[in-house]
Amino acid sequence: MSYGRYTNSVARLPREAFRPSPIFLGLVALFVVTGWMTWAGFGNVTINVFLFVAAGWTISLCLHEYAHAVVAFKGGDHDIAHRGYLTLDPLKYTHPLLSIVLPLVFVLLGGIGLPGGAVWVNHSAVRSRFVDSLISFAGPATNLVLAVVMVLPFSLGFAETGHLDFWAALAFLAFLQLTASVLNFVPMPGVDGGNLVFPWLSPQWQRGFNHVAPYGMLLLIALLWSPVINNWFFNVVYSLGDAIGLPSYLVGDGYDLFKFWNF
């Protein structure tokens, strides 16, 4: 999530500022339809799984950024609604490189969910440092909540009733939520974990933070290419998955199905 400075407006907002966008509703429809097709074994299962996971991941990206925006709105930045961030429209959160190219490459190559959207917050309009930190916390916390919700069917034993392709796809999608949550909680400039601690830093440290922040996500991505850090990262994610009951063997099956080009 990125921050900016704007003149805050408390003018009456139209209802359209809070309505889910048609694009978001279309993604939800695609998610539901391809989920049903995967469940029923209708059509090409690998294409179904790819679309199901891709739609689900994009929906979670929207919810991640919406969580930032709604907390910012409640915390005093009313212009957040004027900028369209409360409509769940993925185009409002889009940065061509960080929001589309890099997340897609990382999911395809490494099975890592990399939220890359941006919600520009009016820093000066936020009521307190605590609320400022809460804005940053809300995004990765949303990914963590989504992961727990997706794991519930496994904890309740529903995955033992067949339809393994569907459960494998859901497990992989839950895994992506965990990777996104862990990555975003890293206290590094340019990611939510760094923004969470930013309000509590001294002015001198904040100036240094702002110099590094534009490159923070790219630096984090570069660090993941290190075998040691990569292994540590996945160990943390799998340990967290085990703690909430995510079947690791289904995650691998789901990732294999997602890569339809290998079939």
Side-chain angles (χ1 to χ4, degrees):
M1 179 184 67
S2 302
Y3 289 112
R5 295 188 178 278
Y6 296 85
T7 302
N8 203 40
S9 171
V10 292
R12 183 176 177 82
L13 292 163
R15 292 182 180 179
E16 289 76 13
F18 303 95
R19 288 176 180 167
S21 72
I23 296 176
F24 179 78
L25 295 177
L27 287 168
V28 172
L30 178 63
F31 178 71
V32 172
V33 170
T34 54
W36 172 81
M37 292 173 70
T38 303
W39 176 276
F42 181 82
N44 187 310
V45 65
T46 57
I47 298 296
N48 293 341
V49 168
F50 176 83
L51 293 175
F52 174 72
V53 172
W57 172 243
T58 307
I59 289 169
S60 71
L61 170 63
C62 295
L63 293 174
H64 174 111
E65 301 302 335
Y66 176 82
H68 287 313
V70 74
V71 175
F73 181 80
K74 296 293 184 180
D77 182 10
H78 299 285
D79 277 353
I80 210 91
H82 288 294
R83 295 191 288 276
Y85 294 144
L86 298 178
T87 63
L88 291 161
D89 185 347
L91 298 181
K92 298 296 182 180
Y93 312 127
T94 295
H95 180 286
L97 177 64
L98 296 180
S99 300
I100 299 175
V101 179
L102 286 179
L104 181 59
V105 168
F106 265 70
V107 170
L108 295 179
L109 298 182
I112 299 176
L114 187 70
V119 169
W120 294 89
V121 175
N122 181 359
H123 232 350
S124 60
V126 178
R127 294 194 181 99
S128 67
R129 289 189 295 176
F130 173 77
V131 174
D132 214 345
S133 292
L134 190 60
I135 293 170
S136 298
F137 174 82
T142 298
N143 290 111
L144 188 57
V145 169
L146 289 173
V148 172
V149 170
M150 292 177 188
V151 167
L152 277 178
F154 302 105
S155 302
L156 297 174
F158 293 151
E160 300 173 2
T161 60
H163 309 283
L164 289 182
D165 291 336
F166 173 82
W167 296 119
L170 186 65
F172 178 55
L173 185 56
F175 181 79
L176 291 179
Q177 305 305 318
L178 291 179
T179 62
S181 184
V182 172
L183 276 177
N184 273 276
F185 273 130
V186 174
M188 176 179 289
V191 297
D192 291 326
N195 290 331
L196 194 154
V197 302
F198 177 85
W200 309 94
L201 300 176
S202 67
Q204 180 180 0
W205 278 90
Q206 287 184 346
R207 286 193 294 271
F209 183 102
N210 287 331
H211 284 304
V212 178
Y215 316 102
M217 181 60 76
L218 294 177
L219 178 59
L220 184 59
I221 291 170
L223 290 173
L224 286 173
W225 289 106
S226 164
V228 174
I229 295 177
N230 188 276
N231 288 336
W232 175 85
F233 169 75
F234 278 108
N235 285 337
V236 170
V237 173
Y238 276 111
S239 296
L240 186 57
D242 290 340
I244 65 174
L246 177 64
S248 57
Y249 70 95
L250 281 180
V251 172
D253 291 344
Y255 184 39
D256 289 339
L257 287 171
F258 176 78
K259 297 185 294 183
F260 67 90
W261 54 92
N262 286 342
F263 282 80

